Amino acid sequence: MVDDITIDGKDDRIMGQTKGQKFIFTLMMCFGMVLFMTIYNMVLNEGFHSNLLFNLLKEFWLGFFVALICDVFIVAKIAKPIAFRIVKPTKDTNPIKIILAISSCMVVGMVLLMSIYGSVLAMGFTKDALRIYPMVVLRNFIMALPLNIIIVSPVVRFLFTKVLKFA
């Protein structure tokens, strides 16, 4: 939903042109980020164990739903205008600058909101959730930014172009 910019006139192949395509792109990005961040946080909190896959399957879906709602209705509406203040898109703007600006702003917003979710999930609605929140934000940001920029975003953009060929 946030990535509706034209990059060299080929936004339909990179991020989608229609609302439906943009939503599919958002679903794919959200799925990838939530999957890897859930695994990351589970390993940090619980270590590797025999129930890791079962716990992942159990906890992933609620986190995915919460992240998707946060992405579509809150973060994307704030992150994109901020990104476009940082990098003013013109026909001469390097597309990677636009992608990095949007991705970075999205990561900041999603980490701030999803760390609330994770803190409350771990500690309940208690003072302890507030106490651990800054540490959770830092630890999630350290992982989420490179994960988004180096792995998830490029893979999703590649897969998205393949999905569009069949749509």
Side-chain angles (χ1 to χ4, degrees), residues 113-132:
L113 290 180
M114 291 306 290
S115 293
I116 294 170
Y117 168 79
S119 298
V120 170
L121 191 66
M123 307 303 279
F125 287 101
T126 65
K127 289 181 182 177
D128 288 334
L130 289 173
R131 182 183 52 77
I132 67 167

Side-chain angles (χ1 to χ4, degrees), residues 3 14 19 21 26 28 45 53 61 76 79 85 136 143 167:
D3 292 316
I14 296 174
K19 284 189 178 205
Q21 290 171 346
T26 299
M28 292 172 71
N45 294 327
L53 182 59
W61 297 106
R85 279 189 223 133
V136 173
M143 181 63 171

Side-chain angles (χ1 to χ4, degrees), residues 20-116:
Q21 290 171 346
K22 291 172 191 173
F23 187 68
I24 290 169
F25 182 82
T26 299
L27 283 173
M28 292 172 71
M29 282 296 296
C30 194
F31 183 91
M33 287 301 295
V34 172
L35 177 65
F36 285 111
M37 291 303 294
T38 302
I39 293 168
Y40 169 73
N41 278 292
M42 289 177 77
V43 169
L44 280 178
N45 294 327
E46 305 168 15
F48 286 103
H49 56 80
S50 59
N51 288 332
L52 187 68
L53 182 59
F54 175 75
N55 290 351
L56 174 64
L57 292 172
K58 189 173 69 174
E59 292 183 19
F60 170 80
W61 297 106
L62 180 59
F64 174 72
F65 179 73
V66 170
L68 187 62
I69 297 298
C70 289
D71 182 324
V72 172
F73 295 108
I74 302 169
V75 177
K77 294 180 183 304
I78 298 168
K80 186 176 174 184
I82 292 171
F84 287 164
R85 279 189 223 133
I86 296 168
V87 175
K88 306 221 183 309
T90 67
K91 63 180 182 162
D92 298 325
T93 305
N94 186 338
I96 195 68
K97 289 181 181 179
I98 298 168
I99 291 169
L100 290 174
I102 293 172
S103 291
S104 298
C105 290
M106 287 296 296
V107 165
V108 169
M110 290 302 291
V111 164
L112 290 172
L113 290 180
M114 291 306 290
S115 293
I116 294 170

